[in-house]
Amino acid sequence: MRFASFSVSAFPAPSLRLKGLQVAEDPRFGAQPFLTVEEGRVGIKLRPLLSGRVELSSVTLEKLRLEVIEDGGKLNIASLGAATPGARAAPRAPGAAAPAAGAAAIIAQAHIKDGVIHYVRRGPSATALRLEGVNLTVRPSGESLSLAGSASLAPGGVRLKLTDTSLAPRGQAAPSAEAPLRGCSSSTVPTWGR
């Protein structure tokens, strides 16, 4: 992961800003970046921070570009955060406690603004689809995530809209593609003039 610039602001509330963020692709799927974000902003809640907890008030990703590649039935997303073959975890000092399970940051809401998600399936039945103008808000809701937003599907120009939608992650052991998705969606097909 790399970025062009990084800044921290303390007022009116603690926040981070990243510009030109890039996340590298798994080399098995290509050399292009897996993810790019023109600008990312992270708001941090002050009160929990004072007691040693990190809670994020919001994460906003503007002009996100995501490349989802399927090759031989495997998705590039599945290798995110996976250990490199042969890599070993760094040893802990004797007596050092393992990281707490609740140490991960809690995010109140996440926004994608004007994003593009490009899906490519390689092989004999090759497919390429793009979701453009992706505007999505994700919020935790109990054991699931609440989603609302819109996008346009290309080719075809079909306009998609999500409302009252929930995604129930099954934990780290299960692939994200297997998470149950429930909700309401609507689509609008463009009408062509004479």
Side-chain angles (χ1 to χ4, degrees), residues 29 34 37 44 48 51 56 61-62 66 82 97 145 147 153 186-187:
F29 291 92
F34 164 72
V37 176
I44 303 170
S51 59
L56 308 181
L61 304 174
E62 291 194 7
L66 176 65
L145 298 172
L147 297 94
L153 180 65
S186 62
S187 60

Side-chain angles (χ1 to χ4, degrees), residues 72-131:
K74 295 182 180 176
L75 287 170
N76 61 345
I77 293 175
S79 63
L80 278 180
T84 306
R88 293 185 299 186
R92 266 197 322 264
I106 297 169
I107 304 173
Q109 60 185 348
H111 307 282
I112 295 173
K113 294 185 177 180
D114 194 22
V116 172
I117 300 173
H118 185 210
Y119 168 77
V120 175
R121 183 172 63 209
R122 296 173 179 165
S125 56
T127 304
L129 297 170
R130 286 171 64 91
L131 282 175

Side-chain angles (χ1 to χ4, degrees), residues 46-94:
L46 183 58
R47 188 172 299 227
L49 191 61
L50 295 174
S51 59
R53 293 190 332 270
V54 177
E55 291 187 22
L56 308 181
S57 57
S58 66
V59 173
T60 301
L61 304 174
E62 291 194 7
K63 298 200 180 292
L64 169 144
R65 301 290 179 264
L66 176 65
E67 295 288 328
V68 179
I69 300 171
E70 182 181 348
D71 195 349
K74 295 182 180 176
L75 287 170
N76 61 345
I77 293 175
S79 63
L80 278 180
T84 306
R88 293 185 299 186
R92 266 197 322 264

